[in-house]
């Protein structure tokens, strides 16, 4: 039986967590979320002896990433969403980016992760360290704001 090294343990964790951490932080902060996810994973590697023993290491690193985002937001207030990949893109409401930017970070992350990336409410709740009911409320409020902002499903 071989003993798993710290590097092996972190690599196994990061392989599964990095894509979801990227999605979550990009959902909150746009393109700046990519850098925040990288910084959070670096922090995780540097402190893996402590982080690996936590009940929810991915959730903890998500919060580390949020701290990095907040620090960078103090310097600039504009949220920039990443450019879509090359290829044929589906039609998207032109005002959607502005409407998403008008949501709170938690609401934007919830909508993008649940409706955009197909996460379950439970998965988002686990990552954010809150109850599924809280995420459900964020989603309901965010969708109501989006519908109002985009004038969808509303008699005008």
């Amino acid at each position: 039986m071989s003993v798993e090294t710290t590097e092996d343990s972190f690599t196994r964790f990061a392989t599964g967590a990095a894509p979801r951490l990227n999605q979550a932080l990009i959902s909150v902060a746009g393109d700046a979320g990519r850098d925040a996810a990288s910084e959070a994973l670096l922090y995780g590697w540097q402190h893996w002896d402590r982080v690996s023993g936590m009940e929810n290491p991915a959730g903890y690193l998500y919060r580390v990433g949020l701290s990095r985002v907040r620090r960078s937001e103090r310097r600039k207030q504009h949220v920039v969403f990443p450019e879509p990949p090359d290829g044929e893109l589906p039609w998207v409401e032109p005002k959607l980016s502005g409407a998403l930017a008008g949501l709170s970070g938690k609401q934007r992350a919830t909508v993008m992760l649940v409706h955009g990336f197909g996460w379950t409410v439970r998965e988002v709740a686990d990552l954010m360290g809150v109850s599924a009911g809280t995420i459900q409320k964020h989603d309901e409020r965010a969708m109501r704001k989006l519908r109002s902002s985009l004038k969808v499903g509303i008699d005008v």
Side-chain angles (χ1 to χ4, degrees):
M1 182 165 116
S2 67
V3 175
E4 185 174 58
T5 66
T6 299
E7 184 175 345
D8 292 338
S9 171
F10 180 77
T11 300
R12 188 170 35 79
F13 164 78
T15 299
R20 295 177 69 79
L21 195 57
N22 264 311
Q23 287 179 342
L25 290 168
I26 288 170
S27 295
V28 172
D31 213 30
R34 234 182 226 120
D35 292 337
S38 295
E39 290 180 33
L41 286 168
L42 176 61
Y43 179 91
W45 167 246
Q46 292 169 335
H47 301 279
W48 188 239
D49 56 329
R50 184 170 56 83
V51 173
S52 64
M54 294 179 175
E55 185 177 320
N56 184 1
Y60 179 78
L61 293 181
Y62 170 76
R63 287 183 290 286
V64 168
L66 284 179
S67 294
R68 301 300 196 264
V69 166
R70 286 186 193 110
R71 196 174 308 136
S72 70
E73 281 181 352
R74 288 185 201 125
R75 290 176 283 215
K76 61 179 183 175
Q77 291 296 322
H78 185 66
V79 175
V80 178
F81 292 101
E83 289 295 319
D86 291 339
E88 192 171 318
L89 300 174
W91 181 86
V92 176
E93 166 61 48
K95 296 177 184 174
L96 181 60
S97 182
L100 285 169
L103 299 175
S104 73
K106 289 178 183 177
Q107 289 174 342
R108 186 172 45 253
T110 298
V111 167
M112 290 183 69
L113 293 174
V114 172
H115 300 282
F117 292 113
W119 290 32
T120 65
V121 168
R122 168 65 26 218
E123 289 170 328
V124 176
D126 287 345
L127 182 73
M128 292 186 179
V130 297
S131 72
T134 298
I135 295 302
Q136 189 65 41
K137 283 292 182 194
H138 286 317
D139 185 51
E140 290 168 5
R141 290 177 181 147
M143 294 303 290
R144 197 167 32 249
K145 284 182 183 177
L146 287 174
R147 286 183 187 104
S148 175
S149 178
L150 297 172
K151 302 200 183 344
V152 175
I154 300 171
D155 293 334
V156 279

